[in-house]
Amino acid sequence: MKLTLEEITRRVVDIPALPKVTNDIMRLTEDPDSNVQDIERVIMKDQSLTTRILRLANSAHYGYPRRISTISEASVLLGFQAIRSITLTASVNGLLMKEVSGYGLKENELWRQSQSCAIISRHIAKKLRFAKVDQAYVAGLLRDIGKVIVSYYLNDHFKQIMTMVESDGISFLEAEEKVLGFHHGQVGAEVAKKWNLPEELVEAIEYHHSPEEATINFKLTSIIHLADAIVMMMGIGLGVDGMIYNLSQETLQALGVDGLMLEQLISEVSDLLVDEDAF
Ligand SMILES: [Fe+2]
């Protein structure tokens, strides 16, 4: 029986809702009237989140020269948007750490890939002077979240998809679309909607393999696409869809990234990723 996107998105109910604390932080960090004390009060209720935030705040990603020891310090020094992305990261890591066998990803591999993609997305965003660097981080982190769901249903179709990839030389995503009638970006977008994430994040997740389709925030989606391609080029937790990757040349042009800059980006992010196990 052929699966439909409608059937599979019904399975999005299996994805846990974001914890209340995460929703509270998302709301507070968007609200211009909230202050550091409000944020600290909410986070401190959750001991493990507090620990994770402090650990990540002190990791090399944020490059802060002295030790950050309280949530209020972290909020002031790193900013609300960073607190928001760290909280979201802490909330989804359990989900992304799962084995995603349908895509040939062992336990922790999707997490490693996602975290790398998030760090690379933020780096590109900074380099291209994109204002929402933390939004880029979150989109990079969540771009393949749809795989967690699709993976369960892929087993029967996996062989067919792989044969297409190998014999027709098409990308895993194209084969996914041909065989299933939908791709993991669409399913990921459904998860993002369920979590009430902003529209531009939903879009970036949906079109991270075809950024030219983005209409709300083309630049954000393009940054995630490029970051995703770099993750694959670097061979981080490759899995099966990394074998043939269509890096959109139009997108590179639109972002103003040429071959030389791409090489430079890869060498810069290699240094950044040394500390990726900090979480
Ligand atoms: Fe993907």
Side-chain angles (χ1 to χ4, degrees):
M1 194 189 78
K2 202 164 158 61
L3 278 166
T4 63
L5 181 61
E6 286 70 36
E7 277 159 354
I8 208 159
T9 49
R10 257 181 256 141
R11 305 317 306 162
V12 171
V13 290
D14 296 338
I15 293 282
L18 289 177
K20 185 176 177 307
V21 56
T22 309
N23 283 320
D24 289 348
I25 290 301
M26 307 258 281
R27 190 175 36 77
L28 282 174
T29 48
E30 290 278 286
D31 180 355
D33 293 332
S34 60
N35 57 37
V36 171
Q37 284 74 31
D38 297 331
I39 293 195
E40 182 166 56
R41 201 176 322 112
V42 171
I43 293 176
M44 294 283 280
K45 281 190 209 154
D46 185 328
Q47 188 50 52
S48 99
L49 180 62
T50 305
T51 312
R52 281 173 178 177
I53 289 181
L54 289 177
R55 201 186 307 154
L56 200 66
N58 282 296
S59 75
H61 305 323
Y62 289 96
Y64 222 77
R66 69 180 175 79
R67 179 132 202 101
I68 298 174
S69 50
T70 64
I71 295 294
S72 56
E73 248 186 321
S75 312
V76 172
L77 296 173
L78 306 178
F80 282 11
Q81 292 310 310
I83 293 296
R84 179 187 160 95
S85 67
I86 295 172
T87 307
L88 201 60
T89 306
S91 310
V92 299
N93 71 341
L95 201 57
L96 290 170
M97 273 180 182
K98 286 186 178 168
E99 182 185 356
V100 188
S101 57
Y103 289 90
L105 293 166
K106 296 193 188 76
E107 209 181 312
N108 286 341
E109 267 188 324
L110 181 60
W111 169 244
R112 231 183 110 223
Q113 254 193 18
S114 304
Q115 216 190 357
S116 303
C117 187
I119 293 164
I120 296 171
S121 301
R122 183 169 51 211
H123 183 75
I124 299 172
K126 268 191 197 163
K127 187 121 183 156
L128 300 181
R129 299 182 199 289
F130 178 67
K132 301 174 174 178
V133 285
D134 285 289
Q135 198 82 307
Y137 180 93
V138 172
L141 183 78
L142 298 178
R143 94 276 186 228
D144 271 350
I145 192 101
K147 286 184 178 176
V148 175
I149 297 182
V150 183
S151 173
Y152 291 122
Y153 304 94
L154 213 52
N155 296 333
D156 298 347
H157 305 283
F158 186 66
K159 253 194 169 156
Q160 211 186 338
I161 293 178
M162 282 316 288
T163 310
M164 273 192 177
V165 171
E166 281 158 9
S167 59
D168 303 349
I170 59 173
S171 71
F172 194 88
L173 188 104
E174 285 168 302
E176 206 177 47
E177 264 190 304
K178 282 196 171 164
V179 174
L180 301 173
F182 56 86
H183 57 77
H184 65 273
Q186 291 169 295
V187 180
E190 293 301 322
V191 177
K193 280 184 208 161
K194 174 183 169 165
W195 287 346
N196 293 321
L197 298 180
E199 266 189 318
E200 59 186 2
L201 276 183
V202 174
E203 176 181 76
I205 295 170
E206 180 157 9
Y207 299 125
H208 69 277
H209 288 277
S210 54
E212 52 287 342
E213 291 186 64
T215 53
I216 302 167
N217 196 334
F218 170 73
K219 196 162 184 186
L220 176 67
T221 309
S222 301
I223 289 171
I224 308 314
H225 174 69
L226 176 57
D228 192 32
I230 293 177
V231 169
M232 299 303 164
M233 283 176 207
M234 292 175 77
I236 301 163
L238 205 57
V240 286
D241 70 345
M243 292 192 297
I244 297 176
Y245 196 97
N246 287 341
L247 175 58
S248 160
Q249 294 306 315
E250 296 98 300
T251 307
L252 280 183
Q253 264 177 9
L255 289 177
V257 174
D258 58 12
L260 194 69
M261 190 168 174
L262 185 59
E263 267 177 45
Q264 205 185 352
L265 276 170
I266 294 176
S267 99
E268 287 165 2
V269 296
S270 308
D271 294 340
L272 279 175
L273 294 177
V274 172
D275 193 44
E276 72 174 294
D277 293 327
F279 219 62

